[in-house]
Amino acid sequence: MNKIFDVGIIGGGVSGVVIALQLAELGIENILFEQKASVVNGPPFCHLHAGGNLYPEISDEQCKLLMKQSIDMARLFPQSIDERPTFISVPKTEKYSLEDIERRLQMLVSYYQELIDEDPLNEILGAPADYYKIYTSEDLKKLKNNPSFKRPNSPDEWMSNAIQLIDVDKLKMPVVLVQEYGWNLFRLGAQAQLALLKSDKTNLKLNTEIQNIKDVRNENLDYNWEIYTSDKVYKVNYLVNSSGFKTGEFDESLDLNVERLIEFKAAYVSKWQPQEGLIPELIFHGERGTPHGMAQLTPYSGDYYQIHGMTNDITLFKNGLVKSKREDAQPEFNEDIKDKLKNGWPDEEIESRTINAINYISKFVPSFETAEIGGPPLFGAQQIPGNDPELRVGEVSFPCKLYARSEIVKASSALSVAEQIIEKIQEVGLLKSSDKKLNTNTLLDSIRKEEIDVLAADLAKMRGYPEALSRLVIEKD
């Protein structure tokens, strides 16, 4: 007789792998299905949103939730965190209030202190007093005379390096440096995959596409769901749908209809050698979807830089945000986007959009005009539960008994979603209550840096990206 698994998880993105790892930590046998050759293939992420400072339009509550979730995830995956700050600015053309930004930062410092008071190990963003620093025009004039620092060791040294390159005349004053770090998807994927392969409680099925799911809850069997692949049927008691933007396809097979959005986005890889010293991530706020949407420059190892421009000819796409129809749970992209997701990009569009991105950044960083194309875009599609395209925290829902649907918007939501699913699995009796804290994982902790280095480099190369993207700018011991 075929083995019956306690939990079956469809989709090996960030959410799926964290759910599987936390179930394994609690001794729950699970099977994880991923249709690609490695885990964490979903929409790219590069930023630890420890405070939501890239989103002036979201609520304080979302900002606090993003901070808590980011800290939890950074504790699980420390080898994927790039400990360098982020420069936050508002161009003179934009409406955002610097007073509102500073008020929010003060609120976040208080909240960060509360999290540390609850658990001292939450102090991963430095001391609360150092969470952010504000720089006036006078401050910047003084720093501009400094030499560049190859390896900055203080906020002033980071800002000194940044200010040599930025056209501050285009920005409202003051500007801010905040401890929102970089987050390396190749390293997180490598650590997760190594831990899953080491586990005797998780059966990781790579290169495995799900053909169908059958609900057998009312058939008096020893299990509740049948998961069909091309050559086998797997039996599970509890089903978790973490299949990203394809979540609706499985909802439809189970006759579940729910409102959702899906969105296709891309970031661009460039190569640039501005100066000897490292720079922070650079953010120039702007209204999303307009010709002056937010510009974001993320430094990587080896003089590579990732670019986001929240306009329709850079990161966003015309018809890139699609809503589910009343009779269908799964929204549909147009043929052009479907082709990109399935087959990759035509060379001419890689070139045109990357050049658009380089030109966009060079409005604020003039010397960036010398940057070159550094590789193919990082791209993907994500789901957004409900109908609010500005939602930035993830959701989990339980549309019927013994079925969970994970729909995270940001990678940082993965652990809190896993915790809610585990709570529900306890409620239905598949797991005894446990007081084990889920912001630790012995499987993840057992993976050595050297193992992560090797597999992360392999994942980058396998997906067609420069190997340097798999390394941290600020190397850890």
Side-chain angles (χ1 to χ4, degrees), residues 14 25 88 101-102 124 135 154 189 193 198 240 247 274 307 323-324 348 369 385 405 407-408 410 422 465 472:
V14 178
E25 182 78 357
I88 303 281
I101 288 172
E102 187 172 356
I124 65 150
Y135 291 86
S154 69
Q193 185 160 309
K198 198 172 182 180
V240 176
T247 302
I307 311 165
K323 186 177 181 180
S324 56
E348 59 270 22
E369 67 181 6
R405 182 199 296 124
E407 295 184 279
I408 67 171
K410 290 294 172 195
I422 287 167
Y465 298 105
L472 298 179

Side-chain angles (χ1 to χ4, degrees), residues 82 149-150 161 165 268-279 297-307 358 367-368 370-375 466-474:
D82 226 335
F149 297 89
K150 186 169 183 179
N161 284 2
L165 304 169
Y268 302 88
V269 179
S270 64
K271 188 93 188 269
W272 181 50
Q273 219 300 313
Q275 61 185 15
E276 188 71 11
L278 302 176
I279 63 169
L297 187 68
T298 308
Y300 276 79
S301 179
D303 298 326
Y304 285 94
Y305 291 80
Q306 180 178 302
I307 311 165
I358 289 168
S367 60
F368 196 69
T370 62
E372 299 173 346
I373 297 170
E467 184 183 330
L469 297 191
S470 71
R471 298 193 294 270
L472 298 179
V473 174
I474 306 295

Side-chain angles (χ1 to χ4, degrees), residues 131-343:
Y131 174 65
Y132 75 95
K133 186 168 182 180
I134 287 179
Y135 291 86
T136 64
S137 295
E138 288 304 309
D139 296 330
L140 297 182
K141 280 176 191 168
K142 290 174 191 167
L143 293 176
K144 188 136 189 173
N145 296 322
N146 286 344
S148 66
F149 297 89
K150 186 169 183 179
R151 170 63 173 83
N153 283 308
S154 69
D156 285 359
E157 290 183 4
W158 282 103
M159 185 60 85
S160 292
N161 284 2
I163 215 63
Q164 315 295 332
L165 304 169
I166 295 167
D167 183 354
V168 293
D169 292 338
K170 291 187 174 172
L171 306 178
K172 294 181 183 179
M173 287 292 132
V175 295
V176 180
L177 205 66
V178 64
Q179 299 304 311
E180 286 199 355
Y181 295 153
W183 200 3
N184 191 291
L185 74 92
F186 298 108
R187 298 185 70 78
L188 183 145
Q191 187 177 358
Q193 185 160 309
L194 289 162
L196 289 165
L197 291 170
K198 198 172 182 180
S199 168
D200 60 358
K201 294 295 182 183
T202 295
N203 187 340
L204 175 61
K205 306 294 288 184
L206 297 171
N207 296 305
T208 305
E209 194 161 347
I210 305 300
Q211 308 286 335
N212 191 28
I213 299 168
K214 190 175 176 186
D215 178 359
V216 294
R217 288 174 298 168
N218 298 321
E219 296 184 19
N220 293 320
L221 299 170
D222 294 333
Y223 57 93
N224 298 303
W225 308 93
E226 292 177 350
I227 300 174
Y228 290 75
T229 65
S230 60
D231 61 349
K232 201 167 179 183
V233 180
Y234 295 88
K235 301 167 181 179
V236 304
N237 275 314
Y238 198 98
L239 181 64
V240 176
N241 183 351
S242 62
S243 53
F245 81 97
K246 293 186 175 180
T247 302
E249 290 182 8
F250 297 110
D251 277 352
E252 283 178 0
S253 72
L254 299 172
D255 294 324
L256 297 168
N257 201 344
V258 67
E259 194 172 29
R260 63 166 56 83
L261 299 159
I262 58 173
E263 184 171 30
F264 179 81
K265 292 189 293 189
Y268 302 88
V269 179
S270 64
K271 188 93 188 269
W272 181 50
Q273 219 300 313
Q275 61 185 15
E276 188 71 11
L278 302 176
I279 63 169
E281 184 162 8
L282 305 181
I283 302 295
F284 305 94
H285 276 311
E287 189 176 350
R288 176 192 173 94
T290 68
H292 45 95
M294 181 187 79
Q296 176 180 359
L297 187 68
T298 308
Y300 276 79
S301 179
D303 298 326
Y304 285 94
Y305 291 80
Q306 180 178 302
I307 311 165
H308 286 81
M310 304 310 285
T311 74
N312 284 329
D313 61 354
I314 302 176
T315 289
L316 306 178
F317 288 74
K318 189 179 179 185
N319 303 317
L321 181 67
V322 187
K323 186 177 181 180
S324 56
K325 294 176 183 170
R326 184 171 295 180
E327 64 279 8
D328 298 316
Q330 178 62 41
E332 287 288 330
F333 288 121
N334 63 28
E335 291 306 315
D336 175 59
I337 290 176
K338 283 183 185 174
D339 193 50
K340 285 186 174 70
L341 286 165
K342 187 176 180 182
N343 302 313

